[in-house]
Amino acid sequence: MTESIRRSGEYENFENPYQAQSSAPVNPEWPPPPAYQPVPQQPVQQQVQQPVIEPTTVWQTQAAAGGNGHGNGNDGGTALLTAEPAPAKKKRARGPLALLAAVAIVAAAIGGGTAYGIQELTGKDEVVSSSTTTSVVPSSKTGDVASIAAAVSPSVVEVSATLSNGTSTGSGVIITSGGEIVTNNHVISGANSIKVTTSDGKSYTAKVVGTDSKKDLALIKLENASGLKAATLGDSDGVKVGDTVVAIGSPEGLTGTVTSGIVSALNRDVTVSTDESQSQGQGQQGGGDGSWPFQFGGQEFNGDTGSSTTTYKALQTDASLNPGNSGGALIDASGNIIGINSAMYSAATDSSSSSDAGSVGLGFAIPINTVKADLAGLRAGGSDS
């Protein structure tokens, strides 16, 4: 006799789908009923929607329990879809970091000697100008006269003007690599020809571009010159009394002479002659006392200034200036040009008193900001044209 193996009360309420509606005995060849009670199918709308995942999917099959646990072709399997989240991708940092780094590199490449670098890249013959915070010499050498002289001397030249009755010797400052030079008007006024000698001994012929007798300034240009070292023009508005200064020029034809001192006063009213004939007293060979006449403090120095005069504000310095320094450079402790030397007091009243001639610590320079403001007019021919 065949018996159905089951625990008491296990299938009391379960409707056997294999059992006939009649009272026929159970066919022993039929497979045993499942060992669990089927779970009623849930409505579709009640299913909880799972979030969409884009990982690798793994299919697993769970064998249905029943019988002896061996599949015979009728054993079904429940397919389960499990999601294994893929490793999170590292997002590339986006933002201004790369751009800022690039800007910093460009800024570092441009910083320090900017004007000269831009001039060389663009090929334009431009004036090198900066504030007094820019250092032409290394910061560790600020105020060192030897370092300043080595850096700026190549930008200062000797200017020799041939006059109708002699020659006039002065100095000049190179402001562009193509050979533009600023000097005093009284150095080249009335000249038939002009010769310029650079610090390395090369000689050039120069022509007058423009003059401004009211400011005692002139702009000349060397012929067939290139690659010259232009001076850096500073900011004379930032100069203070007591600041260290260096003067470079060609006193008495002694090219490249360097002296030093301090700024002893600001905004001195200096009155100079605008008469063309007065230029012949400056460094003239064969006549005159070699001193440029000017007025200061209501007194005349170094001769009669004549009836036609002009007055400008000047920097006063005790750096030694002598005839021939006119048109040369007055330089600050960082190597920037802050003035164009223009007038100096000499105790000599005539050429026979040579023992008393020379600087007594009273010299004057045209502020470089005055020069920069007048530069466009000089390039256009000046106010005297």
Side-chain angles (χ1 to χ4, degrees), residues 249-276:
S250 300
E252 305 294 350
L254 302 175
T255 303
T257 297
V258 178
T259 58
S260 64
I262 63 169
V263 174
S264 53
L266 303 174
N267 299 318
R268 292 299 197 195
D269 288 328
V270 175
T271 301
V272 297
S273 173
T274 58
D275 290 341
E276 180 177 306

Side-chain angles (χ1 to χ4, degrees), residues 38-111:
V39 179
Q41 184 175 2
Q42 299 294 332
V44 176
Q45 62 272 16
Q46 294 181 359
Q47 294 180 354
V48 179
Q49 184 174 359
Q50 299 295 330
V52 179
I53 304 176
E54 297 181 358
T56 305
T57 57
V58 179
W59 289 90
Q60 296 179 346
T61 304
Q62 179 179 346
N68 54 9
H70 298 285
N72 58 2
N74 294 326
D75 292 339
T78 303
L80 301 178
L81 177 62
T82 60
E84 295 180 2
K89 294 183 179 180
K90 294 182 178 180
K91 295 184 179 180
R92 179 177 296 178
R94 299 181 182 274
L97 296 179
L99 177 60
L100 291 176
V103 172
I105 292 174
V106 173
I110 293 180

Side-chain angles (χ1 to χ4, degrees), residues 164-191:
S164 59
N165 59 346
T167 60
S168 174
T169 302
S171 305
V173 177
I174 301 171
I175 62 170
T176 65
S177 61
E180 283 187 329
I181 295 174
V182 170
T183 186
N184 287 138
N185 177 62
H186 70 255
V187 173
I188 54 88
S189 181

Side-chain angles (χ1 to χ4, degrees), residues 18 27 104 138 283 323 333 344 372:
Y18 301 101
N27 191 335
M344 68 291 302
K372 290 191 287 188

Side-chain angles (χ1 to χ4, degrees), residues 340-384:
I340 300 297
N341 298 319
S342 58
M344 68 291 302
Y345 170 77
S346 175
T349 56
D350 54 57
S351 58
S352 63
S353 303
S354 58
S355 61
D356 296 329
S359 172
V360 292
L362 190 61
F364 302 93
I366 301 169
I368 202 61
N369 285 5
T370 300
V371 178
K372 290 191 287 188
D374 202 33
L375 191 55
L378 292 172
R379 283 174 167 165
S383 61
D384 297 337

Side-chain angles (χ1 to χ4, degrees), residues 144-218:
D144 182 69
V145 175
S147 298
I148 296 170
V152 185
S153 288
S155 302
V156 182
V157 300
E158 178 184 305
V159 179
S160 297
T162 301
L163 310 173
S164 59
N165 59 346
T167 60
S168 174
T169 302
S171 305
V173 177
I174 301 171
I175 62 170
T176 65
S177 61
E180 283 187 329
I181 295 174
V182 170
T183 186
N184 287 138
N185 177 62
H186 70 255
V187 173
I188 54 88
S189 181
N192 297 321
S193 63
I194 301 172
K195 184 180 75 172
V196 171
T197 304
T198 57
S199 63
D200 58 2
K202 293 183 179 179
S203 295
Y204 297 88
T205 299
K207 291 185 176 180
V208 176
V209 176
T211 60
D212 187 348
S213 61
K214 294 181 179 180
K215 295 183 178 65
D216 196 18
L217 291 172

